[in-house]
């Protein structure tokens, strides 16, 4: 009776409102294409339907995005709709070995996503470092009752660009020859998907107000965006509408989005310059000739002289000061976890990103399938494997994450399946007694940038049963292990989540089990689960680590059983670790 009543009420609402939810169909054949995105080097990129860049997707609130995907690559692929809750559709979220086994080469997958959010999002591969090769696109979710007024909108993706293939870059990054973990430095930037000699252009008509949707689709680079001679007002971050805030420039870390309103000037006398500058602090070295300060043109009239205005305000605005339109009070935490972020060379000789000195290693069974098949054990974090750094939250608990960034670099952290409230920022280590009080109505977002030696405190309610990755969005750091799995309300998952047969079939084709714990076994028997890599025991010198790298090479060649001296006394370290990157080998 209840269901029928609800369905009837829904029908009435549709009839009364005239709003009909539509299915918005797209077909994406994901494959290799030759392209020259920055005008400097032709290369093989990953495109869609034989072209690059992949098309922008535009969908309205309450519509359903139906994306039919065919994988024409030589490797598996997956798609992640960044920032979407995927409420009841955890299996469409995309991270390889968290919610799916990858779409095998030659296979298809249907993404059927009811749109219950609005704002600026993007879609990208979540398999290995594939998105660096170009498989990323804006995903704009329109709100028929937009809270801000503007005449037109401009989608402005910013992305770094590499001339080499991601697999090659990744191989050089995750290597014993790179113990310091220096990230590959991009060869340049694409602004609105053009680069090199071609300048991005924004056409302005006097008096009109534009909503510019800035999306940072970078693998590494952080950008500063500004327009000379014009004022910008922030109205959205990561799909959350905010009250207007005037800023001089917008700083966007990888995966973040910001919408600004810009009102055009009243004359066509001059054109202006806009800036999208890569933050070179992120780069271990700045190669000679790298053009990291990209500029484009705001054009009022073709051929008009360019008016320069050196008075750009480069001071940073602080996202925690933003005021959301929808004002919810700060959540009160039921459970809290502290996550210390460190990078260092680990016993597999690679430089790893870690939460609490645990570097993520994929389980043998995707965590979602483990949760769905675990029965009474689903709330026990052990079954998800210690190398996935699992955190379990029962249904409707308020989860607090305190992230202390002890690394020398800035890291943008992204939580799947949620917007989280941004409660506090400050210098490490977080101390609850000394921390500033949360705003009365804190801003929420899905990706937060944490500068070196600073912390943030985040909170969200576990109201979206599923397995959700929390990770740094710098692609190279995902691959070096800076990930963990939040298992949310697993006791509710079997009744809320019905995995389509197609996705189970993908696992079968790949030989990956769809039930069992992280070791692919039943119950609490975790024999064979991934263990390590570990930090080097205290006192190991660079020379010793070098010798160990030699040992590992010898082991790989000769398969000798090696016991390092000083090792056997550390019982807790267990067996000799294997050289085991978390990144899957690209076939
Ligand atoms: C979208 O759907 C929700 C829930 O069914 C409804 O309350 C809302 O009015 C709809 N919005 C639009 C713009 O159709
Ligand atoms: C995938 O979809 C394409 C296009 O609809 C179809 O031609 C092909 O047979 C499908 N492949 C499989 C394995 O289902
Ligand atoms: C995009 O994110 C990267 C990585 O955090 C950052 O270096 C770059 O400056 C960002 N771009 C913009 C336009 O903010
Ligand atoms: C443009 O002119 C209108 C009407 O005269 C005025 O309200 C507006 O403030 C002007 N805009 C700018 C950016 O000067
Ligand atoms: C690049 O832009 C930054 C501001 O973002 C400025 O401080 C720096 O001097 C510029 N560098 C060059 C080489 O133009
Ligand atoms: C993690 O490793 C860092 C250095 O790599 C060390 O300073 C810190 O104490 C370790 N933390 C824990 C919890 O073991
Ligand atoms: C997920 O759906 C449930 C039930 O409709 C709702 O209570 C919850 O707020 C939703 N969570 C998110 C993150 O959308
Ligand atoms: Cu990072």
């Amino acid at each position: 009776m209840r269901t029928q009543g609800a369905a009837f009420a829904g029908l009435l609402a549709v009839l009364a409102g005239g709003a009909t939810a539509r299915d918005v169909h797209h077909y994406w054949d994901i494959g290799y294409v030759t392209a020259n995105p920055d005008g400097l080097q032709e290369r093989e990129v990953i495109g869609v339907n034989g072209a690059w860049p992949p098309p922008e997707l535009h969908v309205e609130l309450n519509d359903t995005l139906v994306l039919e995907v065919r994988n024409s690559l030589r490797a598996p692929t997956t798609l992640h709709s960044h920032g979407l809750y995927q409420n009841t559709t955890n299996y469409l979220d995309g991270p390889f070995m968290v919610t799916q086994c990858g779409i095998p080469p030659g296979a298809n997958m249907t993404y059927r996503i009811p749109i219950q959010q609005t704002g600026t999002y993007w879609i990208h591969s979540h398999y290995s470092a594939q998105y660096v090769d170009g498989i990323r696109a804006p995903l704009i979710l329109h709100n028929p009752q937009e809270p801000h007024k503007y005449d037109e909108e401009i989608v402005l993706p910013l992305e770094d660009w590499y001339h080499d293939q991601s697999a090659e870059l990744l191989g050089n990054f995750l290597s014993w020859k790179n113990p310091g973990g220096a990230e590959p430095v991009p060869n340049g930037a694409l602004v609105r998907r053009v680069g090199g000699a071609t300048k991005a252009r924004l056409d302005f008509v006097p008096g009109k107000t534009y909503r510019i949707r800035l999306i940072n689709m970078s693998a590494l680079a952080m950008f500063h965006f500004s327009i000379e001679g014009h004022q910008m007002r922030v109205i959205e971050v990561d799909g959350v509408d905010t009250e207007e805030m005037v800023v001089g420039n917008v700083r966007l870390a990888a995966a973040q989005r910001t919408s600004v309103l810009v009102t055009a000037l009243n004359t066509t006398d001059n054109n202006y310059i806009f800036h999208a500058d890569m933050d070179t602090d992120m780069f271990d070295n700045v190669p000679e000739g790298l053009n990291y300060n990209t500029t484009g043109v705001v054009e009022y009239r073709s051929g008009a002289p360019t008016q320069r205005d050196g008075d750009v305000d480069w001071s940073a605005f602080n996202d925690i000061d933003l005021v959301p339109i929808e004002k919810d009070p700060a959540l009160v935490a039921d459970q809290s976890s502290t996550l210390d972020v460190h990078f260092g060379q680990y016993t597999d000789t690679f430089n790893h990103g870690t939460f609490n000195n645990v570097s993520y290693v994929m389980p043998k069974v995707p965590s979602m399938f483990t949760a769905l098949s675990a029965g009474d054990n689903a709330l026990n974090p052990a079954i998800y494997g210690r190398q996935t750094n699992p955190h379990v939250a029962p249904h409707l608990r308020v989860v607090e994450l305190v992230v202390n960034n002890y690394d020398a670099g800035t890291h943008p952290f992204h939580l799947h399946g949620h917007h989280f409230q941004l409660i506090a920022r400050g210098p490490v280590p977080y101390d609850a007694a000394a921390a500033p009080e949360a705003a009365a109505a804190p801003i929420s977002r899905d990706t937060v940038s944490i500068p070196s030696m600073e912390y943030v405190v985040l909170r969200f309610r576990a109201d979206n049963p599923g397995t959700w990755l929390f990770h740094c969005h710098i692609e190279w750091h995902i691959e070096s292990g800076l990930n963990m799995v939040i298992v949310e309300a697993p006791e509710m998952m079997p009744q809320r989540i019905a995995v389509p047969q197609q996705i189970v079939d993908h696992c079968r084709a790949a030989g990956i089990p769809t039930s069992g714990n992280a070791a692919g076994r039943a119950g609490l028997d975790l024999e064979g689960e991934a263990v390590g890599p570990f930090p080097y025991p205290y006192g190991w010198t660079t020379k010793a680590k070098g010798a160990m790298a030699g040992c590992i090479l010898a082991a790989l060649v000769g398969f000798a059983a090696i016991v390092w001296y000083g090792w056997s006394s550390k019982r807790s370290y267990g067996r000799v670790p294997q050289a085991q990157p978390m990144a899957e080998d690209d076939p």
Side-chain angles (χ1 to χ4, degrees):
M1 275 318 284
R2 221 181 115 248
T3 348
Q4 269 180 13
F8 185 60
L11 183 64
L12 275 187
V14 167
L15 292 175
T20 39
R22 300 170 306 157
D23 281 358
V24 178
H25 286 270
H26 288 274
Y27 175 69
W28 277 22
D29 183 353
I30 300 178
Y32 303 106
V33 183
T34 301
N36 192 349
D38 63 359
L40 299 175
Q41 185 168 310
E42 197 165 83
R43 53 159 287 188
E44 182 186 270
V45 302
I46 300 180
V48 162
N49 301 336
W52 192 93
E56 279 174 17
L57 297 173
H58 291 262
V59 196
E60 242 181 55
L61 177 65
N62 291 351
D63 284 351
T64 297
L65 172 63
V66 184
L67 184 56
E68 296 279 358
V69 170
R70 177 177 169 76
N71 179 12
S72 294
L73 302 173
R74 294 179 291 265
T77 193
T78 71
L79 287 179
H80 168 56
S81 298
H82 182 111
L84 268 60
Y85 303 145
Q86 300 287 12
N87 207 336
T88 71
T89 50
N90 193 201
Y91 47 81
L92 298 181
D93 193 42
F96 180 63
M97 291 310 280
V98 179
T99 65
Q100 69 180 94
C101 304
I103 312 170
N108 297 337
M109 177 160 162
T110 305
Y111 291 82
R112 216 189 143 75
I113 311 174
I115 300 301
Q116 288 148 357
Q117 300 165 250
T118 60
T120 310
Y121 297 84
W122 61 305
I123 189 164
H124 63 83
S125 165
H126 218 300
Y127 176 81
S128 187
Q130 238 170 28
Y131 91 70
V132 180
D133 293 325
I135 181 68
R136 47 191 179 191
L139 168 60
I140 311 299
L141 309 181
H142 294 275
N143 185 355
Q145 284 138 18
E146 189 53 58
H148 294 281
K149 274 209 167 67
Y150 49 87
D151 302 304
E152 275 174 41
E153 64 173 63
I154 299 170
V155 179
L156 189 61
L158 308 164
E159 57 202 305
D160 49 18
W161 188 248
Y162 293 85
H163 288 164
D164 294 325
Q165 297 288 331
S166 66
E168 193 182 323
L169 296 168
L170 190 56
N172 294 333
F173 171 63
L174 284 182
S175 158
W176 63 275
K177 289 184 249 174
N178 184 23
E183 298 84 5
V185 174
N187 298 93
L190 305 180
V191 175
R192 223 178 177 187
R193 317 216 83 161
V194 299
T198 318
K199 272 202 173 154
R201 199 181 80 205
L202 307 180
D203 292 324
F204 272 25
V205 170
K208 280 200 176 177
T209 294
Y210 296 88
R211 174 189 192 147
I212 303 181
R213 296 179 184 267
L214 295 159
I215 312 177
N216 188 344
M217 307 199 301
S218 282
L220 170 67
M222 181 157 84
F223 285 89
H224 300 274
F225 179 85
S226 71
I227 310 179
E228 292 188 7
H230 292 70
Q231 190 198 53
M232 300 192 292
R233 290 115 72 198
V234 172
I235 55 161
E236 178 215 341
V237 286
D238 298 353
V240 175
D241 295 315
T242 71
E243 292 182 359
E244 288 187 14
M245 181 160 120
V246 175
V247 297
N249 76 94
V250 172
R251 195 175 37 162
L252 280 182
Q256 291 186 320
R257 293 89 63 206
T258 300
S259 283
V260 291
L261 293 184
V262 181
T263 298
L265 305 179
N266 277 342
T267 83
T268 58
D269 291 350
N270 296 296
N271 295 334
Y272 289 81
I273 297 283
F274 71 84
H275 299 263
D277 299 344
M278 289 198 276
D279 192 329
T280 50
D281 285 355
M282 310 280 295
F283 304 159
D284 283 74
N285 64 79
V286 181
E288 211 174 310
L290 171 68
N291 178 17
Y292 51 89
N293 281 357
T294 312
T295 55
V297 183
V298 172
E299 191 170 286
Y300 283 89
R301 178 166 55 85
S302 173
T306 301
Q307 173 79 40
R308 291 308 303 256
D309 171 8
D311 271 350
V312 174
D313 169 12
W314 287 111
S315 59
F317 83 92
N318 202 345
D319 57 359
I320 205 166
D321 297 334
L322 289 165
V323 179
I325 297 240
E326 223 165 274
K327 295 180 180 53
D328 295 320
L331 294 165
V332 177
D334 296 315
Q335 62 184 75
S336 180
S337 303
T338 298
L339 305 170
D340 289 345
V341 175
H342 289 281
F343 278 74
Q345 198 187 10
Y346 272 55
T347 46
D348 60 0
T349 76
F350 299 167
N351 187 285
H352 283 280
T354 63
F355 287 118
N356 298 337
N357 294 353
V358 175
S359 185
Y360 180 92
V361 178
M362 287 174 190
K364 292 183 178 162
V365 175
S367 303
M368 180 190 74
F369 286 113
T370 294
L372 285 170
S373 62
D376 291 345
N377 289 325
L379 286 161
N380 184 343
I383 63 165
Y384 303 99
R386 64 187 104 166
Q387 290 303 135
T388 69
N389 217 337
H391 282 60
V392 176
H395 196 216
L396 299 182
R397 287 273 190 93
V398 173
V399 180
E400 175 179 88
L401 299 179
V402 175
V403 188
N404 290 309
N405 177 9
Y406 288 102
D407 183 52
T410 300
H411 298 274
F413 289 95
H414 171 45
L415 174 63
H416 288 223
H418 283 278
H419 280 113
F420 46 73
Q421 288 185 340
L422 195 45
I423 299 294
R425 285 180 175 279
V428 287
Y430 170 67
D431 168 10
E437 216 168 297
I443 189 71
S444 294
R445 53 188 319 170
D446 61 42
T447 308
V448 63
S449 180
I450 315 182
S452 172
M453 301 310 281
E454 290 190 19
Y455 72 78
V456 298
V457 178
L458 322 171
R459 287 183 201 150
F460 63 94
R461 190 184 300 281
D463 62 2
N464 189 9
T467 48
W468 308 110
L469 206 58
F470 180 70
H471 65 94
C472 172
H473 213 292
I474 290 178
E475 183 52 37
W476 312 113
H477 299 167
I478 299 178
E479 300 305 324
S480 79
L482 194 45
N483 311 286
M484 58 178 262
V485 170
I486 295 184
V487 182
E488 182 170 334
E491 73 279 24
M492 299 282 292
M493 284 174 64
Q495 30 173 312
R496 294 278 304 263
I497 296 167
V499 183
Q501 185 59 37
Q502 195 183 32
I503 291 168
V504 174
D505 290 346
H506 292 163
C507 296
R508 190 160 302 144
I512 300 170
T514 49
S515 69
N517 59 35
R521 290 168 174 269
L524 300 176
D525 173 11
L526 284 146
E527 173 76 35
E529 73 168 312
V531 179
F534 302 99
Y536 281 101
Y538 180 77
W540 274 58
T541 61
T542 310
K543 208 170 159 193
K545 291 175 189 173
M548 182 150 154
C551 283
I552 286 192
L553 282 183
L556 287 175
V557 174
F559 257 90
I562 307 161
V563 178
W564 288 284
Y565 94 88
W567 198 266
S568 41
S569 59
K570 302 252 180 220
R571 294 300 302 170
S572 63
Y573 282 171
R575 79 189 62 99
V576 173
Q578 292 133 28
Q580 186 178 46
M582 68 78 67
E584 61 288 344
D585 289 324
D586 252 328

